[in-house]
Amino acid sequence: MTRVASIGECMIELRQGPGAQPGGLYSRGYGGDTLNTAVYLSRLGVDVDYITALGDDALSDEMIAGWAAEGIGTKRVARLAGKLPGLYLIQTDDKGERRFFHWRDSAAARELMDLPETDDILNSLASYDIVYLSAITLSIMRQDGRDRLMAALKRARLLGTRFAFDTNFRARGWPDLNVARKVFSSAFEAADIVLASTEDLAPLYPGESHTALLAGISSPEVVLKLAEPACILRAAGATREVRAEPLIKPVVDTTAAGDSFAAAYLAARLGGAAPEDAARAGHRLAGVVVGYPGAIIPRYAMPPKKASRPSTSRKASQ
């Protein structure tokens, strides 16, 4: 049985490396937060399907072929005639910090909750151990689409599926912060696992302390990544800090640091690891990813897998 469903949007990626001259050449790839997580989940040995909508164009064909080559299931990818994927451009500064520019208003993924096959997609969520999505996923939907998805997640949870929510926040996706706060609150109430960061939550809850931010998240298992290389973990009623190991390589590009952390954390939890060990696995993979340009690092750069006893049922790693 497929263990994880990752829901979201993948876009065409154009990227200039650090120090590139204005007007210089860009390399083309593809990426998106939940797709990046799906790739890393698959590389960590987790069965994962990606749920999205694409066009019927050659670039969409290229994406699906690439996902399949990574071992990602594509049976839940809807194809829309005449549509295209969105596009984004990355610029990175000399410190590896990135800046994004997006063209996605008419992208196929925005219609995911309004298709003839939407009901089948939503009903399938109960067949997964974990359904993972991010705030970016929710930001590209209309409110009725968000409501439809959240209702399906709540139904799936009654049958044993867990919901993992990543707070990946982009202000341009939320022109009304009050709407964003309501959506986040609803996701926090429904989620079994929340993967958050102070960077994401600061625009929504300015001036709040780490303690206050954690208190505002009602989910039973929460990882709050900090500005420094550490996170605060709340699970089983206890709160503790988990620090990252020092980086071996200099930071080149921070793209997908959070996405890879999420993948390693969820993979470890599915493998039966304790939350603290899962957080260490997240720090470890993210520390490698930031040493390479782009969202997806070469396969040879993946850190060696640490043995863990796989869970035999949905309840084993809860």
Side-chain angles (χ1 to χ4, degrees), residues 31-44:
D33 62 339
T34 54
L35 185 277
N36 301 335
T37 299
V39 169
Y40 287 115
L41 279 167
S42 182
R43 290 186 179 185
L44 292 167

Side-chain angles (χ1 to χ4, degrees), residues 54-74:
L54 290 174
D56 58 354
D57 58 290
L59 293 175
S60 295
D61 291 341
E62 180 182 297
M63 284 185 182
I64 288 181
W67 304 347
E70 286 282 359
I72 296 170
T74 60

